[in-house]
Amino acid sequence: MDLLTKELENFFSKYKNIKYKKGDVILRPEDIPSGVIYIKSGYIKLYSVSDQGNELTLNIFKPHTYFSMMWAISDIKNSLFFESMTDVEVLRAPKEEFIKFIKSEPEILFDLTRRLLIGLDGILSRMDYLLLGDAHNRVTSTILSLVERFGLKGEDGIILGVPLTHKDISNLAGLTRETTSIELKKLSDKGIIINKNQQLIVKNIAKLKEESLTYKENEESTDYPL
């Protein structure tokens, strides 16, 4: 844990500790957040649902990240769902106290700004492959993005540290689960990815990059606290 993360955790540790079960919806559209949430353990996904009931996952928050900054800083109303992907433990600080904290800590504020800008760049890049890419490119680009943010070196390749089902990947890629499963099988048949103990492992990252036509690799990958 780096120094800035320790400072953030020390700040949030003064406030309420809350636990959620896997599948709990933490915030719904139009809900007014009751504070800024810092994740101690577990994963939380941010997603929208269309009028037709289709889900599009916009972000996945991992331990030692926090949200919702758009509401906390700009009073922008929440229009999205926040749902726990695993059992989750969080700390919740009052909005006013968090704003006071980041104003008094220039390095924390700079890091927040940096994360938001990197996140904006990531969102713009993702728009490219969601709007311009075919199904194969959407899936490969989605996996590459997940590798950047959650990849862990393992004996068989790069393990995605976040628990993901085919449905989760389809919601990230903006595709049906059936189409996503077909594309994942193609990658598996080529020996690029494998599934082991319910974990997705990238065995050949170079070939995966070759399969993607629009994915732009970030020089620095980080988590953005939307």
PDB file of all heavy atoms in Angstrom, residues 79-104:
ATOM      1  N   SER A  79     -27.195   8.806 -11.740  1.00  0.00           N
ATOM      2  CA  SER A  79     -28.121   8.237 -12.723  1.00  0.00           C
ATOM      3  C   SER A  79     -27.789   6.777 -13.031  1.00  0.00           C
ATOM      4  O   SER A  79     -28.293   6.220 -14.009  1.00  0.00           O
ATOM      5  CB  SER A  79     -28.068   9.054 -14.021  1.00  0.00           C
ATOM      6  OG  SER A  79     -26.754   9.034 -14.569  1.00  0.00           O
ATOM      7  N   LEU A  80     -26.954   6.157 -12.183  1.00  0.00           N
ATOM      8  CA  LEU A  80     -26.461   4.816 -12.470  1.00  0.00           C
ATOM      9  C   LEU A  80     -26.635   3.875 -11.276  1.00  0.00           C
ATOM     10  O   LEU A  80     -26.983   4.317 -10.177  1.00  0.00           O
ATOM     11  CB  LEU A  80     -24.968   4.889 -12.847  1.00  0.00           C
ATOM     12  CG  LEU A  80     -24.638   5.786 -14.036  1.00  0.00           C
ATOM     13  CD1 LEU A  80     -23.146   6.052 -14.102  1.00  0.00           C
ATOM     14  CD2 LEU A  80     -25.134   5.169 -15.338  1.00  0.00           C
ATOM     15  N   PHE A  81     -26.396   2.593 -11.522  1.00  0.00           N
ATOM     16  CA  PHE A  81     -26.460   1.581 -10.474  1.00  0.00           C
ATOM     17  C   PHE A  81     -25.046   1.261  -9.984  1.00  0.00           C
ATOM     18  O   PHE A  81     -24.117   1.143 -10.779  1.00  0.00           O
ATOM     19  CB  PHE A  81     -27.089   0.290 -11.007  1.00  0.00           C
ATOM     20  CG  PHE A  81     -28.547   0.379 -11.339  1.00  0.00           C
ATOM     21  CD1 PHE A  81     -28.957   0.795 -12.601  1.00  0.00           C
ATOM     22  CD2 PHE A  81     -29.514   0.035 -10.399  1.00  0.00           C
ATOM     23  CE1 PHE A  81     -30.306   0.870 -12.923  1.00  0.00           C
ATOM     24  CE2 PHE A  81     -30.862   0.108 -10.715  1.00  0.00           C
ATOM     25  CZ  PHE A  81     -31.256   0.535 -11.971  1.00  0.00           C
ATOM     26  N   PHE A  82     -24.909   1.097  -8.671  1.00  0.00           N
ATOM     27  CA  PHE A  82     -23.680   0.591  -8.057  1.00  0.00           C
ATOM     28  C   PHE A  82     -24.061  -0.711  -7.358  1.00  0.00           C
ATOM     29  O   PHE A  82     -24.905  -0.707  -6.463  1.00  0.00           O
ATOM     30  CB  PHE A  82     -23.127   1.575  -7.024  1.00  0.00           C
ATOM     31  CG  PHE A  82     -22.598   2.864  -7.605  1.00  0.00           C
ATOM     32  CD1 PHE A  82     -23.459   3.870  -8.005  1.00  0.00           C
ATOM     33  CD2 PHE A  82     -21.231   3.078  -7.735  1.00  0.00           C
ATOM     34  CE1 PHE A  82     -22.980   5.064  -8.523  1.00  0.00           C
ATOM     35  CE2 PHE A  82     -20.737   4.263  -8.249  1.00  0.00           C
ATOM     36  CZ  PHE A  82     -21.611   5.266  -8.648  1.00  0.00           C
ATOM     37  N   GLU A  83     -23.429  -1.814  -7.758  1.00  0.00           N
ATOM     38  CA  GLU A  83     -23.807  -3.125  -7.224  1.00  0.00           C
ATOM     39  C   GLU A  83     -22.560  -3.918  -6.841  1.00  0.00           C
ATOM     40  O   GLU A  83     -21.561  -3.924  -7.571  1.00  0.00           O
ATOM     41  CB  GLU A  83     -24.610  -3.894  -8.273  1.00  0.00           C
ATOM     42  CG  GLU A  83     -25.079  -5.270  -7.825  1.00  0.00           C
ATOM     43  CD  GLU A  83     -25.867  -5.972  -8.911  1.00  0.00           C
ATOM     44  OE1 GLU A  83     -26.732  -5.338  -9.559  1.00  0.00           O
ATOM     45  OE2 GLU A  83     -25.612  -7.179  -9.121  1.00  0.00           O
ATOM     46  N   SER A  84     -22.617  -4.611  -5.719  1.00  0.00           N
ATOM     47  CA  SER A  84     -21.475  -5.409  -5.268  1.00  0.00           C
ATOM     48  C   SER A  84     -21.358  -6.686  -6.106  1.00  0.00           C
ATOM     49  O   SER A  84     -22.336  -7.408  -6.291  1.00  0.00           O
ATOM     50  CB  SER A  84     -21.622  -5.762  -3.788  1.00  0.00           C
ATOM     51  OG  SER A  84     -22.862  -6.399  -3.543  1.00  0.00           O
ATOM     52  N   MET A  85     -20.141  -6.930  -6.632  1.00  0.00           N
ATOM     53  CA  MET A  85     -19.885  -8.136  -7.414  1.00  0.00           C
ATOM     54  C   MET A  85     -19.465  -9.299  -6.521  1.00  0.00           C
ATOM     55  O   MET A  85     -19.522 -10.463  -6.927  1.00  0.00           O
ATOM     56  CB  MET A  85     -18.788  -7.861  -8.440  1.00  0.00           C
ATOM     57  CG  MET A  85     -19.114  -6.787  -9.445  1.00  0.00           C
ATOM     58  SD  MET A  85     -17.730  -6.464 -10.568  1.00  0.00           S
ATOM     59  CE  MET A  85     -17.690  -7.985 -11.504  1.00  0.00           C
ATOM     60  N   THR A  86     -18.992  -8.958  -5.326  1.00  0.00           N
ATOM     61  CA  THR A  86     -18.578  -9.926  -4.315  1.00  0.00           C
ATOM     62  C   THR A  86     -19.083  -9.399  -2.976  1.00  0.00           C
ATOM     63  O   THR A  86     -19.675  -8.314  -2.905  1.00  0.00           O
ATOM     64  CB  THR A  86     -17.043 -10.019  -4.254  1.00  0.00           C
ATOM     65  OG1 THR A  86     -16.517  -8.729  -3.876  1.00  0.00           O
ATOM     66  CG2 THR A  86     -16.448 -10.432  -5.595  1.00  0.00           C
ATOM     67  N   ASP A  87     -18.848 -10.129  -1.910  1.00  0.00           N
ATOM     68  CA  ASP A  87     -19.059  -9.533  -0.593  1.00  0.00           C
ATOM     69  C   ASP A  87     -18.111  -8.338  -0.486  1.00  0.00           C
ATOM     70  O   ASP A  87     -16.947  -8.409  -0.898  1.00  0.00           O
ATOM     71  CB  ASP A  87     -18.755 -10.544   0.513  1.00  0.00           C
ATOM     72  CG  ASP A  87     -19.814 -11.636   0.604  1.00  0.00           C
ATOM     73  OD1 ASP A  87     -20.863 -11.509  -0.056  1.00  0.00           O
ATOM     74  OD2 ASP A  87     -19.576 -12.625   1.324  1.00  0.00           O
ATOM     75  N   VAL A  88     -18.611  -7.253   0.066  1.00  0.00           N
ATOM     76  CA  VAL A  88     -17.858  -5.995   0.069  1.00  0.00           C
ATOM     77  C   VAL A  88     -17.875  -5.373   1.458  1.00  0.00           C
ATOM     78  O   VAL A  88     -18.884  -5.423   2.166  1.00  0.00           O
ATOM     79  CB  VAL A  88     -18.477  -4.990  -0.949  1.00  0.00           C
ATOM     80  CG1 VAL A  88     -17.836  -3.617  -0.824  1.00  0.00           C
ATOM     81  CG2 VAL A  88     -18.328  -5.502  -2.368  1.00  0.00           C
ATOM     82  N   GLU A  89     -16.747  -4.784   1.837  1.00  0.00           N
ATOM     83  CA  GLU A  89     -16.659  -3.996   3.063  1.00  0.00           C
ATOM     84  C   GLU A  89     -16.202  -2.592   2.683  1.00  0.00           C
ATOM     85  O   GLU A  89     -15.187  -2.436   1.995  1.00  0.00           O
ATOM     86  CB  GLU A  89     -15.686  -4.619   4.045  1.00  0.00           C
ATOM     87  CG  GLU A  89     -15.645  -3.907   5.403  1.00  0.00           C
ATOM     88  CD  GLU A  89     -14.754  -4.610   6.412  1.00  0.00           C
ATOM     89  OE1 GLU A  89     -14.170  -5.647   6.058  1.00  0.00           O
ATOM     90  OE2 GLU A  89     -14.654  -4.113   7.546  1.00  0.00           O
ATOM     91  N   VAL A  90     -16.958  -1.586   3.109  1.00  0.00           N
ATOM     92  CA  VAL A  90     -16.641  -0.208   2.740  1.00  0.00           C
ATOM     93  C   VAL A  90     -16.641   0.693   3.967  1.00  0.00           C
ATOM     94  O   VAL A  90     -17.170   0.335   5.035  1.00  0.00           O
ATOM     95  CB  VAL A  90     -17.654   0.345   1.706  1.00  0.00           C
ATOM     96  CG1 VAL A  90     -17.736  -0.544   0.476  1.00  0.00           C
ATOM     97  CG2 VAL A  90     -19.043   0.532   2.325  1.00  0.00           C
ATOM     98  N   LEU A  91     -16.041   1.864   3.790  1.00  0.00           N
ATOM     99  CA  LEU A  91     -16.093   2.935   4.789  1.00  0.00           C
ATOM    100  C   LEU A  91     -16.783   4.119   4.132  1.00  0.00           C
ATOM    101  O   LEU A  91     -16.531   4.431   2.966  1.00  0.00           O
ATOM    102  CB  LEU A  91     -14.680   3.323   5.235  1.00  0.00           C
ATOM    103  CG  LEU A  91     -13.871   2.225   5.909  1.00  0.00           C
ATOM    104  CD1 LEU A  91     -12.395   2.611   5.972  1.00  0.00           C
ATOM    105  CD2 LEU A  91     -14.403   1.945   7.313  1.00  0.00           C
ATOM    106  N   ARG A  92     -17.661   4.795   4.876  1.00  0.00           N
ATOM    107  CA  ARG A  92     -18.432   5.894   4.286  1.00  0.00           C
ATOM    108  C   ARG A  92     -18.208   7.181   5.066  1.00  0.00           C
ATOM    109  O   ARG A  92     -18.525   7.261   6.257  1.00  0.00           O
ATOM    110  CB  ARG A  92     -19.923   5.553   4.266  1.00  0.00           C
ATOM    111  CG  ARG A  92     -20.755   6.567   3.490  1.00  0.00           C
ATOM    112  CD  ARG A  92     -22.196   6.141   3.436  1.00  0.00           C
ATOM    113  NE  ARG A  92     -22.819   6.154   4.753  1.00  0.00           N
ATOM    114  CZ  ARG A  92     -23.890   5.447   5.080  1.00  0.00           C
ATOM    115  NH1 ARG A  92     -24.432   4.638   4.209  1.00  0.00           N
ATOM    116  NH2 ARG A  92     -24.412   5.531   6.285  1.00  0.00           N
ATOM    117  N   ALA A  93     -17.650   8.176   4.388  1.00  0.00           N
ATOM    118  CA  ALA A  93     -17.358   9.464   5.013  1.00  0.00           C
ATOM    119  C   ALA A  93     -18.351  10.521   4.553  1.00  0.00           C
ATOM    120  O   ALA A  93     -18.789  10.506   3.393  1.00  0.00           O
ATOM    121  CB  ALA A  93     -15.940   9.913   4.646  1.00  0.00           C
ATOM    122  N   PRO A  94     -18.717  11.466   5.423  1.00  0.00           N
ATOM    123  CA  PRO A  94     -19.605  12.556   5.013  1.00  0.00           C
ATOM    124  C   PRO A  94     -18.978  13.378   3.889  1.00  0.00           C
ATOM    125  O   PRO A  94     -17.755  13.606   3.873  1.00  0.00           O
ATOM    126  CB  PRO A  94     -19.732  13.403   6.281  1.00  0.00           C
ATOM    127  CG  PRO A  94     -19.377  12.480   7.399  1.00  0.00           C
ATOM    128  CD  PRO A  94     -18.352  11.544   6.848  1.00  0.00           C
ATOM    129  N   LYS A  95     -19.801  13.789   2.961  1.00  0.00           N
ATOM    130  CA  LYS A  95     -19.336  14.554   1.806  1.00  0.00           C
ATOM    131  C   LYS A  95     -18.538  15.784   2.232  1.00  0.00           C
ATOM    132  O   LYS A  95     -17.448  16.051   1.711  1.00  0.00           O
ATOM    133  CB  LYS A  95     -20.546  14.960   0.963  1.00  0.00           C
ATOM    134  CG  LYS A  95     -20.282  15.977  -0.128  1.00  0.00           C
ATOM    135  CD  LYS A  95     -21.592  16.330  -0.816  1.00  0.00           C
ATOM    136  CE  LYS A  95     -21.424  17.462  -1.807  1.00  0.00           C
ATOM    137  NZ  LYS A  95     -22.699  17.785  -2.482  1.00  0.00           N
ATOM    138  N   GLU A  96     -19.067  16.552   3.178  1.00  0.00           N
ATOM    139  CA  GLU A  96     -18.422  17.806   3.582  1.00  0.00           C
ATOM    140  C   GLU A  96     -17.039  17.554   4.174  1.00  0.00           C
ATOM    141  O   GLU A  96     -16.103  18.317   3.927  1.00  0.00           O
ATOM    142  CB  GLU A  96     -19.298  18.552   4.599  1.00  0.00           C
ATOM    143  CG  GLU A  96     -20.652  19.004   4.066  1.00  0.00           C
ATOM    144  CD  GLU A  96     -21.664  17.876   3.952  1.00  0.00           C
ATOM    145  OE1 GLU A  96     -21.399  16.772   4.515  1.00  0.00           O
ATOM    146  OE2 GLU A  96     -22.707  18.075   3.293  1.00  0.00           O
ATOM    147  N   GLU A  97     -16.907  16.464   4.939  1.00  0.00           N
ATOM    148  CA  GLU A  97     -15.616  16.158   5.547  1.00  0.00           C
ATOM    149  C   GLU A  97     -14.606  15.703   4.498  1.00  0.00           C
ATOM    150  O   GLU A  97     -13.418  16.025   4.587  1.00  0.00           O
ATOM    151  CB  GLU A  97     -15.786  15.069   6.617  1.00  0.00           C
ATOM    152  CG  GLU A  97     -16.594  15.520   7.825  1.00  0.00           C
ATOM    153  CD  GLU A  97     -15.963  16.725   8.513  1.00  0.00           C
ATOM    154  OE1 GLU A  97     -14.732  16.733   8.703  1.00  0.00           O
ATOM    155  OE2 GLU A  97     -16.705  17.671   8.835  1.00  0.00           O
ATOM    156  N   PHE A  98     -15.081  14.962   3.493  1.00  0.00           N
ATOM    157  CA  PHE A  98     -14.176  14.520   2.440  1.00  0.00           C
ATOM    158  C   PHE A  98     -13.681  15.710   1.622  1.00  0.00           C
ATOM    159  O   PHE A  98     -12.486  15.785   1.289  1.00  0.00           O
ATOM    160  CB  PHE A  98     -14.869  13.513   1.519  1.00  0.00           C
ATOM    161  CG  PHE A  98     -13.978  13.020   0.417  1.00  0.00           C
ATOM    162  CD1 PHE A  98     -13.008  12.064   0.660  1.00  0.00           C
ATOM    163  CD2 PHE A  98     -14.098  13.531  -0.870  1.00  0.00           C
ATOM    164  CE1 PHE A  98     -12.163  11.627  -0.345  1.00  0.00           C
ATOM    165  CE2 PHE A  98     -13.258  13.098  -1.881  1.00  0.00           C
ATOM    166  CZ  PHE A  98     -12.293  12.147  -1.624  1.00  0.00           C
ATOM    167  N   ILE A  99     -14.569  16.636   1.283  1.00  0.00           N
ATOM    168  CA  ILE A  99     -14.169  17.824   0.523  1.00  0.00           C
ATOM    169  C   ILE A  99     -13.150  18.632   1.317  1.00  0.00           C
ATOM    170  O   ILE A  99     -12.139  19.111   0.772  1.00  0.00           O
ATOM    171  CB  ILE A  99     -15.394  18.695   0.174  1.00  0.00           C
ATOM    172  CG1 ILE A  99     -16.352  17.925  -0.748  1.00  0.00           C
ATOM    173  CG2 ILE A  99     -14.953  19.996  -0.488  1.00  0.00           C
ATOM    174  CD1 ILE A  99     -15.760  17.514  -2.069  1.00  0.00           C
ATOM    175  N   LYS A 100     -13.395  18.786   2.603  1.00  0.00           N
ATOM    176  CA  LYS A 100     -12.452  19.508   3.454  1.00  0.00           C
ATOM    177  C   LYS A 100     -11.090  18.802   3.456  1.00  0.00           C
ATOM    178  O   LYS A 100     -10.036  19.453   3.425  1.00  0.00           O
ATOM    179  CB  LYS A 100     -13.011  19.586   4.881  1.00  0.00           C
ATOM    180  CG  LYS A 100     -12.223  20.492   5.824  1.00  0.00           C
ATOM    181  CD  LYS A 100     -12.743  20.376   7.252  1.00  0.00           C
ATOM    182  CE  LYS A 100     -14.210  20.760   7.337  1.00  0.00           C
ATOM    183  NZ  LYS A 100     -14.698  20.692   8.746  1.00  0.00           N
ATOM    184  N   PHE A 101     -11.123  17.475   3.488  1.00  0.00           N
ATOM    185  CA  PHE A 101      -9.889  16.688   3.515  1.00  0.00           C
ATOM    186  C   PHE A 101      -9.067  16.878   2.246  1.00  0.00           C
ATOM    187  O   PHE A 101      -7.861  17.155   2.310  1.00  0.00           O
ATOM    188  CB  PHE A 101     -10.247  15.201   3.698  1.00  0.00           C
ATOM    189  CG  PHE A 101      -9.107  14.252   3.482  1.00  0.00           C
ATOM    190  CD1 PHE A 101      -8.019  14.229   4.348  1.00  0.00           C
ATOM    191  CD2 PHE A 101      -9.118  13.365   2.403  1.00  0.00           C
ATOM    192  CE1 PHE A 101      -6.969  13.337   4.149  1.00  0.00           C
ATOM    193  CE2 PHE A 101      -8.070  12.478   2.196  1.00  0.00           C
ATOM    194  CZ  PHE A 101      -6.996  12.470   3.074  1.00  0.00           C
ATOM    195  N   ILE A 102      -9.692  16.739   1.062  1.00  0.00           N
ATOM    196  CA  ILE A 102      -8.911  16.846  -0.176  1.00  0.00           C
ATOM    197  C   ILE A 102      -8.437  18.282  -0.419  1.00  0.00           C
ATOM    198  O   ILE A 102      -7.382  18.491  -1.030  1.00  0.00           O
ATOM    199  CB  ILE A 102      -9.683  16.312  -1.406  1.00  0.00           C
ATOM    200  CG1 ILE A 102     -10.975  17.087  -1.649  1.00  0.00           C
ATOM    201  CG2 ILE A 102      -9.955  14.820  -1.258  1.00  0.00           C
ATOM    202  CD1 ILE A 102     -11.663  16.687  -2.962  1.00  0.00           C
ATOM    203  N   LYS A 103      -9.164  19.265   0.083  1.00  0.00           N
ATOM    204  CA  LYS A 103      -8.713  20.650  -0.057  1.00  0.00           C
ATOM    205  C   LYS A 103      -7.471  20.914   0.791  1.00  0.00           C
ATOM    206  O   LYS A 103      -6.653  21.776   0.454  1.00  0.00           O
ATOM    207  CB  LYS A 103      -9.831  21.610   0.336  1.00  0.00           C
ATOM    208  CG  LYS A 103     -10.916  21.777  -0.724  1.00  0.00           C
ATOM    209  CD  LYS A 103     -11.952  22.800  -0.290  1.00  0.00           C
ATOM    210  CE  LYS A 103     -12.974  23.059  -1.382  1.00  0.00           C
ATOM    211  NZ  LYS A 103     -14.001  24.066  -0.962  1.00  0.00           N
ATOM    212  N   SER A 104      -7.346  20.168   1.870  1.00  0.00           N
ATOM    213  CA  SER A 104      -6.198  20.368   2.761  1.00  0.00           C
ATOM    214  C   SER A 104      -5.010  19.475   2.405  1.00  0.00           C
ATOM    215  O   SER A 104      -3.943  19.587   3.009  1.00  0.00           O
ATOM    216  CB  SER A 104      -6.607  20.100   4.219  1.00  0.00           C
ATOM    217  OG  SER A 104      -6.911  18.727   4.410  1.00  0.00           O
TER     218      SER A 104
END
